[in-house]
Amino acid sequence: MLRFAPVGDIEIAYADDGPRAAPAVLMGHCFCADRRFWDPHLAACEGFRAIRFDTRGHGQSGRSDGPYSLTQLAADVVSLMDHLQLPETHYVGVSMGGMVGQTLAIEHPNRLLSLTLLNTTPKYSEAQRDLWRERANAVLAEGIEPIHSDLMRRWFTDEALATDLAGAQYIAEVVREFDRRSFASVTAAMCELDTVDCLTAITVPTLVVAAPDDPGVPREVSEMLADRIPDASLHWLQPARHLASLEHPDVFNKLLRAHLTACSPRS
């Protein structure tokens, strides 16, 4: 059942599954997607309270005037936790959702039990920022369709696209429907990202999952992310590109479940 939580000037849409007394797992999706990204990964959260939410500007959540900031998006998550009376939670984030997760761990460290960062980066290069700004301007002018195919090729392997992988079909549909103003607003938040010098301050147990052939997060960036976070573990999904867990859901689910189980308070 879809629910809504008042969060400042908007409402955040979320789905809440699992035992209410169990440790909570908040799940932050990638850019242009929504809470349904995590449907193939709910199996990893069996016995936990899995809360999938639509980030501001995405899905059924509110769309306030932009530009947005990562601090704002992280504060939305904290407000959702307060609404649900959750003092602490596990957090799982992919790509943009992982950027929010890093921000949470740095700015609200006492609210997390653990952190899972999937196909995400602590910083964009200037060339990457320029590319995202160009995309945002193009989307504002012409909509998403002109860049849709390019995004899909960066996010999925040729084999996944050729075989109509269920995850790729979902992303193709949700991206095509994405609001052009939200595209620009969220792009502004992602382009401000730079947590590199703060990663050593992340003290919660952290799982980093990446793809060595991810065009948006080069191998050395994933290695640096895991190296700078104290005691973080790094695992690879391959063959895959940027949305690797949708190409390898079973492998990711095993990694995630083991991490959540190891980091949960024992009764």
Side-chain angles (χ1 to χ4, degrees):
M1 178 186 297
L2 187 63
R3 296 178 169 90
F4 294 87
V7 172
D9 56 339
I10 64 164
E11 289 188 321
I12 290 288
Y14 68 97
D16 191 347
D17 297 281
R20 294 298 178 269
V25 183
L26 277 177
M27 312 181 84
H29 57 77
C30 64
F31 184 39
C32 294
D34 61 16
R35 66 195 178 281
R36 294 175 293 167
F37 179 96
W38 298 109
D39 288 358
H41 303 310
L42 278 178
C45 300
E46 184 178 355
F48 292 85
R49 182 180 179 182
I51 301 163
R52 295 160 292 150
F53 65 93
D54 292 347
T55 299
R56 178 184 293 259
H58 294 72
Q60 300 302 307
S61 287
R63 288 169 170 76
S64 59
D65 292 337
Y68 302 161
S69 72
L70 289 171
T71 290
Q72 177 185 30
L73 300 182
D76 286 345
V77 176
V78 173
S79 293
L80 174 61
M81 291 177 64
D82 291 344
H83 173 79
L84 295 171
Q85 298 182 335
L86 296 174
E88 54 188 5
T89 183
H90 300 282
Y91 182 89
V92 185
V94 55
S95 190
M96 175 198 73
M99 298 176 189
V100 175
Q102 293 170 62
T103 307
L104 274 172
I106 293 164
E107 297 184 2
H108 307 276
N110 62 320
R111 304 303 296 268
L112 297 186
L113 291 167
S114 77
L115 181 63
T116 298
L117 302 175
L118 171 61
N119 291 102
T120 195
T121 179
K123 184 178 181 178
Y124 279 141
S125 68
E126 198 55 47
Q128 287 175 310
R129 290 192 185 99
D130 289 344
L131 178 58
W132 275 114
R133 289 168 181 141
E134 290 173 7
R135 287 173 178 154
N137 289 334
V139 167
L140 282 173
E142 304 177 48
I144 287 180
E145 194 59 39
I147 67 168
H148 186 274
S149 294
D150 176 63
L151 292 176
M152 293 298 295
R153 287 192 297 268
R154 293 178 64 82
W155 292 346
F156 293 96
T157 60
D158 294 342
E159 181 180 1
L161 295 176
T163 57
D164 290 329
L165 181 79
Q169 290 181 334
Y170 153 69
I171 291 292
E173 174 186 347
V174 74
V175 170
R176 187 166 277 120
E177 297 173 351
F178 197 61
D179 181 81
R180 66 178 69 187
R181 293 166 299 175
S182 292
F183 192 103
S185 294
V186 180
T187 294
M190 295 193 300
C191 285
E192 74 172 13
L193 173 73
D194 186 356
T195 63
V196 172
D197 292 337
C198 301
L199 294 175
T200 55
I202 295 177
T203 57
V204 294
T206 301
L207 169 66
V208 177
V209 182
D213 297 320
D214 184 343
V217 186
R219 183 187 185 109
E220 61 271 18
V221 173
S222 295
E223 291 173 340
M224 180 265 286
L225 179 66
D227 285 344
R228 289 194 174 227
I229 298 175
D231 300 320
S233 61
L234 172 62
H235 297 267
W236 300 105
L237 298 179
Q238 56 184 326
R241 290 186 181 152
H242 189 54
L243 298 184
S245 73
L246 295 183
E247 297 204 45
H248 302 281
D250 292 340
V251 176
F252 176 72
N253 286 353
K254 290 179 181 178
L255 291 170
L256 177 59
R257 182 160 189 83
H259 181 61
L260 294 175
T261 300
C263 298
S264 292
R266 299 182 183 276
S267 57

